[in-house]
Amino acid sequence: MSDSSPRGYDRLAPWYQTIERLRFAGGLQRWRERLLDEIPPCRQVLFLGDGDGRLLKSFLDQLLNRGPTSSNLVENIRSVDFSAKMLQCQRKRIARHPLRHKVQLEHGDVLNAQWPTRQYDLIVTAFFLDCFAEPQLRRLVSQLTTALAPEGLWYVVDFTQPDRGLAKHWAGGWLAVMHAFFRWQTDLPTRRLVHADSILKSSGLEPRCFQQNRTRWITSSLYSFAEKPNASDCSRRISSE
């Protein structure tokens, strides 16, 4: 996100959840959490751009609820964000969580970060990949696929634009409004939604589990390498939400 301004995200940090709820109520958070039950136990986890940390907190809660088999297996959860203020929100949100010692919060630009090779059993990007212009996104996906373990999973939650009908125009209008708002506040480099799915597939990843909301503009997906079918496969479902 080198072309964006961290100051913009810092300004939004205290109000981010409130702004989101004004438009979506709790809808986006429900889609962040949609496939958490499908994620198997893992040792090394990477969160990117989790903002104020609501999904990170839900992930920790999920580990705790599954019992010691899952929570003890996790060795490290690395959460990287462009905004120092967003990281402060994350730190505050998990400050009293029993698994907080598993979390490493890191301030940095993901496009300029160094990623280990084949290390992460799980990469999590929720409403994050849509922040990049296509050249940036291709570069980032290329870097992260080399960091994903051979049987690892990439959990993607994001907006998408239907390709036909009234839903296409309805979603397109809202996406234009949101992109305009974030360009104004954060110098977001992109003016349109770049569909991450095709870029992920071109990097050798396939969706193993996929859910989409009724209006077809929010998706939650678990990707894995095409040659490594994962035991957590689930069928495609469209939610009435």
Side-chain angles (χ1 to χ4, degrees), residues 6 35 40 67-68 84 92 108 112 149 158 178 196 210-211 222 227 239:
L35 298 182
K92 182 178 179 180
N112 294 319
D158 231 324
M178 289 189 291
F210 172 82
Q211 290 193 30
L222 279 170
E227 70 274 14
S239 169

Side-chain angles (χ1 to χ4, degrees), residues 46-59:
L46 175 64
F47 274 74
L48 297 178
D50 193 45
D52 60 12
R54 278 171 285 157
L55 181 54
L56 174 61
K57 169 66 162 50
S58 295
F59 181 75

Side-chain angles (χ1 to χ4, degrees), residues 12-30:
L12 288 176
W15 311 103
Y16 193 72
Q17 185 172 358
T18 300
I19 293 169
E20 180 181 307
R21 284 179 171 173
L22 287 173
R23 167 58 185 90
F24 297 98
L28 295 193
Q29 183 61 16
R30 288 191 292 274

